[in-house]
Amino acid sequence: AIPGLSIAIALLMTTSMTMVYLAGYRGKAVHTTQIFSCFKDWNTIKRVTLGMSWTVLWIVIWSMVPIVGPILALIRSYEYRLTPYILITEPDVPLTQAFKESAKRTRGYKLQMWLSDFVIDIIYGIAVAIIGALAGIPYIGFLFGLVLFVLGILYAALRPLFTGLVQAAFYEEITNPTIPVTIVGA
């Protein structure tokens, strides 16, 4: 029972954080109590826990396909990335259909979503390689080692914030696309 309860709490907290990121992206005030927004009533707890469990189950099933399973699971994880937003903001969508709705909406956006995650990791990797090489300099290398340590802490602390806001931006722009501005006569 304890592992199941832990998984349910983790799914609820993760979904609550996506709502915090969405509120931040929309420019609304963010409060610490929003971290527990999925715990507000039994229907929300049940909907989010079952919907997110269903989504995770499908990702695990896709990962079990021989040879190409991990690649398929990665693709599906990007396909189903909008599921927590759909579960919370669109109560008319059945919880077993939320991941299918997410897959439909992310069609054509999966590569962009992956690139947005990958770019920050590449930038961090390049910075680590350069600063790590500079850390090998005799006498002053320890300063670069200290900078590398601080960079690692900042990366660990800020990467979830950055990727959460980017994910919220994808949801917002896919669900409510902005009308492109066209200049007449240009």
Side-chain angles (χ1 to χ4, degrees):
I2 291 175
L5 182 62
S6 299
I7 291 170
I9 290 172
L11 292 172
L12 289 164
M13 295 293 287
T14 303
T15 304
S16 294
M17 281 307 297
T18 59
M19 293 297 100
V20 170
Y21 295 136
L22 185 61
Y25 179 75
R26 289 178 173 169
K28 296 180 180 175
V30 177
H31 305 285
T32 54
T33 57
Q34 290 173 316
I35 296 171
F36 304 102
S37 64
C38 287
F39 295 89
K40 62 183 174 187
D41 60 27
W42 175 246
N43 287 333
T44 304
I45 292 171
K46 185 173 68 171
R47 178 173 172 78
V48 170
T49 303
L50 293 175
M52 291 304 294
S53 296
W54 188 249
T55 302
V56 170
L57 174 67
W58 278 103
I59 293 171
V60 169
I61 289 171
W62 280 108
S63 72
M64 291 183 195
V65 173
I67 301 171
V68 294
I71 295 168
L72 290 174
L74 179 68
I75 292 168
R76 295 298 185 236
S77 68
Y78 281 97
E79 255 181 33
Y80 305 155
R81 190 168 265 194
L82 303 183
T83 303
Y85 299 101
I86 294 169
L87 286 170
I88 294 294
T89 61
E90 302 173 29
D92 55 322
V93 177
L95 62 94
T96 56
Q97 298 299 314
F99 79 102
K100 290 180 181 177
E101 182 65 28
S102 175
K104 189 172 18 171
R105 290 184 191 178
T106 56
R107 197 167 290 128
Y109 291 97
K110 288 183 286 291
L111 181 61
Q112 292 173 0
M113 295 168 98
W114 179 78
L115 285 173
S116 70
D117 289 347
F118 187 66
V119 165
I120 187 130
D121 295 332
I122 288 296
I123 292 170
Y124 175 70
I126 291 170
V128 165
I130 292 170
I131 297 171
L134 293 173
I137 298 173
Y139 305 114
I140 62 167
F142 74 94
L143 292 174
F144 289 107
L146 184 62
V147 168
L148 190 60
F149 176 74
V150 171
L151 180 66
I153 291 173
L154 287 173
Y155 178 77
L158 298 178
R159 186 187 188 281
L161 176 64
F162 174 78
T163 56
L165 288 171
V166 169
Q167 182 177 326
F170 271 108
Y171 171 75
E172 192 68 19
E173 294 301 318
I174 290 170
T175 304
N176 305 311
T178 55
I179 301 170
V181 178
T182 57
I183 300 174
V184 179

